[in-house]
Amino acid sequence: MAVLERTLMGPGPSNPYPEATAALSAPMLGHLDPAFLAILDETCDRLRSAWQTANARTLPLSGTGSAGMEAAFVNLVGPGDVVVVGVNGLFGERMCEVARRCGAEVVRAEAPWGRPLDPADVVAAHPSPKLIAVVHAETSTGVENDVAAVAAGKGDALVLADCVTSLAGIPVDLDAWGVDVAYSGTQKCVGVAPGLAPFTLSDRAWEQRVARPQSWYLDLGLVGEYVGGQGGRKYHHTAPVSMIRSLHAGLGVVLDEGLPSVWARHAECGRLLHEGLQSLGLELWVDADHRLPELTTVLVPAGVDASKVRAQLLDRFSIEIGAGVGPHVDRMWRIGCMGHTARPANVKLLLAALAEVLER
Ligand SMILES: *Cc1c(COP(=O)(O)O)cnc(C)c1O
């Protein structure tokens, strides 16, 4: 079967930057080759730039974004620790489950799906939690949560931010905000194939780590050794060489373009998409104030078969958009526009295709 060129505008992988795709097919380097180690070091530096952090412990973890989530919790949370989790979508729910499996006492600070968390509720949810966890960009709903406001009110707690769909898409300024631990994924706004979890941890969080994380593979005391640290570089596991070269290349594109310009490009595409959808008579789920540019939830009009429209966009125009999640599966579409895909031409193509499929 022929491999088709698709424009991926779903909530999953976006089209990678071409440089990131090209790096995947570069000749293999050994995982201890000095040429590869130089690329690994530079990848960690580029991640620090993208996160806007000086954290020494900043690295690409082997595994998808969820491995970043798992690593954050297993290293910082042990039995009986109190963790406040902001829950207004699927990924907030997933953090609760991961924290519970670490033996945490989970305190939920909730907002309805499609609405932002109230930062005051989140910081007031418990007087002395060890960790407060929030999702910056809720991909399940298209809502942005105010991480900076939560971090500003954290008190003695550590703050964890899920930045899987925000890093390299909308402003993320970890050190200025006072975020202690954060993770991302490669396949969303970062514009690389899925497979790695950019991860960063402050010294303050490191000092409060659990003595013996329940995961050997994601124990940062061990995994940190392969990127080199205080004790030098040691074998822990074989670095996914090609994925790291691809991330290195993708971050290079992002930083060459410049973060402000990358953010402005996402914002502009979001604005075009939101205006265009509304002028087709479609209703957006999330209020303009908290609506993400990179992930847009659109209500399916009455009488329209949601999955049929998605299938037609894919078959006739090679454009993939996402279905709703959970209870909203048939009620809405989720349109991603992130990374390399976030170009006005792609937005216009989608809007024209949607107008034709919907006969509007
Ligand atoms: C996609 C996503 C994840 C999970 O990442 P995977 O790469 O699918 O493991 C976690 N959090 C958010 C907000 C996401 O969008």
Side-chain angles (χ1 to χ4, degrees), residues 23 31 34 55 111 117 155 174 228 262:
H31 73 119
N55 289 342
L117 296 167
L174 288 194
V262 168

Side-chain angles (χ1 to χ4, degrees), residues 64-66 69 91 94 135 137 139 162 164-165 183 187-188:
T64 64
S66 303
M69 183 187 291
F91 293 104
R94 186 177 293 184
V135 177
T139 324
D162 173 316
V164 176
T165 308
Y183 56 86
Q187 75 274 26
K188 310 260 172 91

Side-chain angles (χ1 to χ4, degrees), residues 28-33 36-37 40 60-63 196 217 223 226-227 233-245:
M28 187 61 62
L29 283 170
H31 73 119
L32 300 175
D33 186 317
F36 169 68
L37 297 177
L40 178 57
L61 288 176
S62 305
L196 295 174
Y217 193 68
V223 80
Y226 100 103
V227 296
R233 206 182 296 267
K234 278 192 227 140
Y235 168 74
H236 172 261
H237 67 284
T238 308
V241 173
S242 301
M243 279 309 306
I244 288 172
R245 294 188 77 176

